[in-house]
Amino acid sequence: STEKGIHDFLEPSLSALHDPKLLSGMDKASNRILQAIEEKQTVLIYGDYDADGICSVSMLYLFLKSRGLEPIAFIPNRHTDGYGLSEETVEHIASTYFPDLVITVDTGISAHDEVEMLKDCGIDVIVTDHHEPPEILPDCTIIDPKCTGQSYPFAGLCGAGVVFKLIQYIGGVEEALNYVDICAISTIGDIVPLLDENRVLTKLGLEKINGDNPRPSIAYFKKLLK
């Protein structure tokens, strides 16, 4: 309804990205991840099995790998494991991978009991999610733009958008932009509103996808579509 609003909608730019430090929990999560990187700890990334979950896992996996870690990517089987963290998957993770830190992406905000189980096993937990928070939150570090009591101005990010902000906070916006193509797939695939930051991430991601040097997986998909 204003000239600026119309311009920002039609020509989204990096300047429209919000400061990631405004997200509650960002500082604590960043410090814990930097500790894991410095001490070469075992980090397991737990995601959902949809487009947003898989892309969120991929982004954080690639980022941590670029920092010298060998993270474990865990995506549950929708038929045998069900949705989100469960008692069975927690027991499997704890007894098979022995992680020092579990980071959930695109899931975890409702997993109060499962987070307690992980903590009882001596495993630290960071929850990154974008779903509506329940009354009782997990007792751990949480990054979720829909949680109350924070000053972040946009609550419409998808799970990969939250991971993008986490990478932006730790490594800067240029580092986060290495994964903006994956983030765009999530943003479109999870059908979040294409407004505010989501327009920026989608525009920049599509430019990267349609550029001359897409990542190998995307180049393969594009080849199949010709």
Side-chain angles (χ1 to χ4, degrees), residues 46 48-49 76-86 89:
Y46 191 107
D48 191 15
Y49 44 70
N77 184 305
R78 67 183 299 169
H79 302 294
T80 58
D81 297 321
Y83 174 79
L85 280 165
S86 66
T89 53

Side-chain angles (χ1 to χ4, degrees), residues 75-107:
I75 297 170
N77 184 305
R78 67 183 299 169
H79 302 294
T80 58
D81 297 321
Y83 174 79
L85 280 165
S86 66
E87 185 176 329
E88 291 75 23
T89 53
V90 166
E91 289 174 353
H92 175 67
I93 286 167
S95 61
T96 306
Y97 302 107
F98 310 103
D100 301 294
L101 172 64
V102 167
I103 307 172
T104 73
V105 293
D106 189 37
T107 190

Side-chain angles (χ1 to χ4, degrees), residues 13-23 26-27 29-31 33-34 37 59-60 63-64 66-67 128 143 152-154 157 159-180 183 196-198 200-201 204:
S13 67
L14 273 178
S15 61
L17 292 181
H18 306 303
D19 189 338
K21 74 179 178 186
L22 297 175
L23 274 165
M26 189 62 83
D27 195 49
S30 170
N31 287 337
I33 290 169
L34 289 171
I37 292 169
M59 289 171 64
L60 191 54
F63 171 68
L64 293 178
S66 76
R67 291 300 181 101
T128 77
I143 305 172
Y152 200 72
F154 182 58
L157 292 168
V162 177
V163 172
F164 182 95
K165 303 308 293 186
L166 178 60
I167 296 171
Q168 181 186 351
Y169 186 82
I170 296 173
V173 69
E174 290 303 320
E175 178 130 31
L177 287 172
N178 290 329
Y179 314 102
V180 73
C183 190
D196 206 284
E197 281 189 304
N198 289 339
V200 181
L201 297 172
L204 297 176

Side-chain angles (χ1 to χ4, degrees), residues 123-134:
I123 300 167
D124 291 339
V125 184
I126 297 170
V127 166
T128 77
D129 204 344
H130 72 114
H131 295 102
E132 291 288 345

Side-chain angles (χ1 to χ4, degrees), residues 147-223:
C147 283
T148 57
Q150 60 183 325
S151 53
Y152 200 72
F154 182 58
L157 292 168
C158 67
V162 177
V163 172
F164 182 95
K165 303 308 293 186
L166 178 60
I167 296 171
Q168 181 186 351
Y169 186 82
I170 296 173
V173 69
E174 290 303 320
E175 178 130 31
L177 287 172
N178 290 329
Y179 314 102
V180 73
D181 51 341
I182 307 175
C183 190
I185 293 171
S186 275
T187 303
I188 295 166
D190 218 47
I191 324 177
V192 290
L194 285 178
L195 302 169
D196 206 284
E197 281 189 304
N198 289 339
R199 287 193 75 77
V200 181
L201 297 172
T202 301
K203 179 195 177 189
L204 297 176
L206 287 172
E207 285 175 354
K208 189 167 183 180
I209 286 169
N210 291 317
D212 295 331
N213 190 31
R215 68 181 67 242
S217 54
I218 291 173
Y220 177 76
F221 284 128
K222 287 174 70 176
K223 184 179 176 183

